[in-house]
Amino acid sequence: MAEAFNDKVLTGAKAERYAQVAEEIAAVLAGEPNLTARMATVASMLAATFEHYFWTGFYVVDPDRPGELVVGPYQGTLGCLRIAFGRGVCGTAAETQRVQLVADVHAFPGHIACDSRSASEIVIPVFDAQGRLIAVFDVDSEAPAAFDAVDQAGLEAILSHVFAA
Ligand code: SME
């Protein structure tokens, strides 16, 4: 299954590629309940599909430290390990439970620069089947304003299918 995906190049318009990779992810994860495996697979397959993704991964709600996110499975350069709820783009997404679509990270108050090459960012809250926040999914790009409503809709569909279904 992994080899078949790794050999494949998804083409087409962005929305179409989100739909294609959503199907690929669902096929790979069928029957796999482990949360780490599910998060690692989502991060890997999305990072491999989109050229505008520079850093791709999860910050997980830490069950041992209330109000804190801890880094989870990701693809990219070294990320910060912990982010408090309310801090930066990820912490804001966790606290408000709302998607953060940031065209210019340098203009975002309190943005945490784990890698100075990041220029724009999208962060999607991730919920389980009971509607509890379990993580946020963070994608950074080296290009300014790299993410739009198509990325948001594509990611929301994949994340709700993988973690809340
Ligand atoms: N920029 C993020 C921090 C996480 S990293 O970019 C990997 C933020 O402000 O939340």
Side-chain angles (χ1 to χ4, degrees):
M1 181 84 73
E3 198 183 343
F5 177 75
N6 290 337
D7 286 344
K8 209 173 267 186
V9 179
L10 300 183
T11 54
K14 194 161 66 168
E16 203 180 312
R17 287 165 78 185
Y18 275 108
Q20 287 173 332
V21 74
E23 276 184 31
E24 301 274 355
I25 289 170
V28 171
L29 289 180
E32 177 51 70
N34 182 273
L35 204 53
T36 304
R38 294 177 81 78
M39 289 185 177
T41 299
V42 167
S44 172
M45 292 178 78
L46 285 169
T49 299
F50 295 107
E51 297 80 13
H52 64 305
Y53 282 31
F54 171 68
W55 195 95
T56 311
F58 292 87
Y59 279 92
V60 178
V61 176
D62 189 344
D64 301 321
R65 292 206 204 171
E68 227 171 86
L69 298 165
V70 62
V71 78
Y74 69 93
Q75 299 273 317
T77 58
L78 180 64
C80 311
L81 296 193
R82 291 185 171 273
I83 298 176
F85 276 44
R87 279 206 62 220
V89 186
C90 291
T92 301
E95 189 165 82
T96 61
Q97 304 201 355
R98 296 211 178 273
V99 173
Q100 303 295 308
L101 190 48
V102 182
D104 174 6
V105 295
H106 305 295
F108 189 95
H111 166 252
I112 304 159
C114 299
D115 189 311
S116 60
R117 285 170 287 186
S118 290
S120 60
E121 179 164 3
I122 185 168
V123 183
I124 315 269
V126 180
F127 301 97
D128 67 10
Q130 284 71 46
R132 289 178 299 229
L133 181 78
I134 55 168
V136 300
F137 185 67
D138 176 18
V139 189
D140 293 24
S141 179
E142 289 179 278
F147 304 103
D148 58 20
V150 173
D151 295 283
Q152 179 173 341
L155 289 172
E156 284 181 320
I158 290 169
L159 293 165
S160 65
H161 187 269
V162 171
F163 297 103

